[in-house]
């Protein structure tokens, strides 16, 4: 990983670019599920290794789990989130609690595949195209600093787009 939350920045950008087609919550859940692997391995073996769930088949499987049953958990989370907001906050931060299967699928697949694209630059043991290609020839395609800047900048751009869209809608 870049630490899992860094992945959420590009997700926010996808969401800002196509709000009707992408579930950011499913995007985030797919990323979280994939990174359970190195976290669990760290506690079990002391080494945060990247194995099956950091390959295209494994990450896609995690994305499908984020769609079902994950979509149900995502919708429950959004309902919980909306309940915490005051009416004034809800005008800015409230979000629809219904996620269509298509929004969940697009969000989760974008989440899983962008996760691999970012992680393969940082970690040599990520093998995106296993079992066809057993190695990681894309390690270092971008520097670690570059990855972090990319993730944070895409999150900030998404935030600006979201702010402008919300303000325009309120007028
Ligand atoms: Zn990862």
């Amino acid at each position: 990983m870049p630490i899992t939350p860094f992945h959420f920045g590009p997700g926010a950008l996808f969401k800002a670019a196509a709000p009707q087609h992408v579930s950011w919550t499913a995007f985030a859940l797919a990323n979280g599920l994939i990174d359970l692997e190195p976290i669990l391995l760290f506690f079990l073996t002391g080494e945060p290794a990247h194995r099956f769930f950091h390959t295209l088949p494994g990450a896609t499987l995690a994305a499908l789990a984020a769609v079902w049953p994950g979509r149900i958990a995502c919708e429950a989370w959004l309902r919980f989130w909306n309940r915490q907001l005051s009416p004034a906050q809800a005008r800015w931060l409230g979000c629809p609690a219904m996620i269509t299967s298509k929004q969940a699928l697009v969000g989760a697949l974008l989440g899983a595949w962008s996760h691999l694209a970012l992680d393969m630059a940082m970690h040599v043991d990520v093998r995106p195209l296993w079992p066809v290609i057993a190695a990681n020839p894309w390690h270092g395609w971008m520097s670690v600093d570059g990855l972090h800047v990319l993730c944070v900048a895409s999150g900030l751009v998404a935030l600006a787009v979201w702010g402008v869209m919300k303000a325009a809608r309120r007028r």
Side-chain angles (χ1 to χ4, degrees), residues 102-134:
K102 192 180 145 213
Q103 289 167 332
L105 185 66
V106 173
L109 287 177
L110 283 172
W113 295 342
S114 67
H115 191 106
L116 288 185
L118 297 174
D119 271 19
M120 72 190 186
M122 193 163 174
H123 303 285
V124 73
D125 64 345
V126 172
R127 294 167 302 151
L129 293 190
W130 177 91
V132 179
I133 299 174

Side-chain angles (χ1 to χ4, degrees), residues 1 7 34-35 38 50 54 115 119:
M1 7 171 202
H7 289 278
I34 291 169
D35 272 346
H50 301 86
H54 283 76
H115 191 106
D119 271 19

Side-chain angles (χ1 to χ4, degrees), residues 17-151:
Q20 301 305 321
H21 301 286
V22 178
S23 163
W24 180 84
T25 322
F27 182 103
L29 180 60
N31 277 281
L33 290 175
I34 291 169
D35 272 346
L36 280 180
E37 179 179 63
I39 292 167
L40 280 176
L41 285 174
F42 175 74
F43 284 114
L44 292 173
T45 69
E47 192 200 348
H50 301 86
R51 301 274 187 260
F52 176 68
F53 286 101
H54 283 76
T55 66
L56 192 58
T60 304
L61 207 63
L64 294 179
V67 176
W68 191 90
R71 183 168 69 98
I72 300 164
C74 289
E75 288 183 331
W77 161 254
L78 289 172
R79 284 195 297 273
F80 171 79
W81 167 261
N82 285 334
R83 275 200 305 275
Q84 310 312 308
L85 303 173
S86 70
Q89 290 170 325
R91 256 178 264 135
W92 281 94
L93 300 173
C95 41
M98 219 197 81
I99 303 169
T100 67
S101 303
K102 192 180 145 213
Q103 289 167 332
L105 185 66
V106 173
L109 287 177
L110 283 172
W113 295 342
S114 67
H115 191 106
L116 288 185
L118 297 174
D119 271 19
M120 72 190 186
M122 193 163 174
H123 303 285
V124 73
D125 64 345
V126 172
R127 294 167 302 151
L129 293 190
W130 177 91
V132 179
I133 299 174
N136 178 4
W138 302 279
H139 182 232
W141 73 267
M142 185 183 265
S143 70
V144 172
D145 284 348
L147 281 175
H148 286 131
V149 169
L150 175 77
C151 291

